[in-house]
Amino acid sequence: MVGLLATFVHMMIGFLLIQSTWHPLLANLLAFTIAFVVSFIGHLGFSFADQEVSASSALWKFALVALIGFAFNEVLLIMLLSEEDLTDTVSLWISTGCAAVLTFALSRFWAFRTPHKAGGPVDVEPSANLTNQ
């Protein structure tokens, strides 16, 4: 739900700015910045709250994830804007939606993942147990 909210915030702010004659790439940058704050706070407090990760640890990882997602978003947006069949708004929505999926996956599996504790259980392949017996 947090990802959907952040994506919605990104799309609506971008849409409103484009409708206000902002250049789509600048509108996307401002919309991304606002959605980043919404997304980080929401993911830290709700989506991945059970991960028990520190805010500072998650922030730098999530910032990196968000920048990767934003770069993907901008490159895809540039490509879509060159298509004559799509409006600026539709191009923004497609690029933002695709970037949201990428950002969520990277957040889930890396940025908000709890680090393994020393001495904790480690996944061992079954074949490794046979050689130890």
Side-chain angles (χ1 to χ4, degrees):
M1 294 304 293
V2 170
L4 291 175
L5 174 63
T7 302
F8 178 76
V9 166
H10 188 149
M11 289 181 178
M12 293 313 305
I13 291 172
F15 168 76
L16 292 172
L17 292 173
I18 288 171
Q19 296 305 308
S20 299
T21 69
W22 279 52
H23 188 278
L25 297 177
L26 290 176
N28 191 39
L29 176 61
L30 181 58
F32 160 80
T33 303
I34 295 167
F36 171 83
V37 174
V38 170
S39 186
F40 180 74
I41 292 169
H43 284 320
L44 185 66
F46 299 104
S47 302
F48 307 118
D50 63 329
Q51 296 294 323
E52 298 177 11
V53 65
S54 73
S56 61
S57 172
L59 179 58
W60 78 265
K61 289 179 183 178
F62 185 69
L64 182 59
V65 164
L67 289 174
I68 290 168
F70 179 68
F72 174 79
N73 183 325
E74 282 284 276
V75 169
L76 184 55
L77 180 57
I78 290 167
M79 292 170 43
L80 293 171
L81 288 171
S82 70
E83 293 294 320
E84 307 242 341
D85 297 335
L86 299 174
T87 67
D88 292 351
T89 301
V90 170
S91 297
L92 175 71
W93 289 357
I94 291 170
S95 66
T96 302
C98 291
V101 171
L102 174 65
T103 301
F104 178 81
L106 290 172
S107 296
R108 174 80 171 109
F109 297 111
W110 183 62
F112 290 95
R113 187 174 190 99
T114 304
H116 294 291
K117 294 179 180 156
V122 177
D123 292 334
V124 177
E125 293 186 33
S127 61
N129 285 336
L130 295 175
T131 59
N132 292 335
Q133 294 178 0

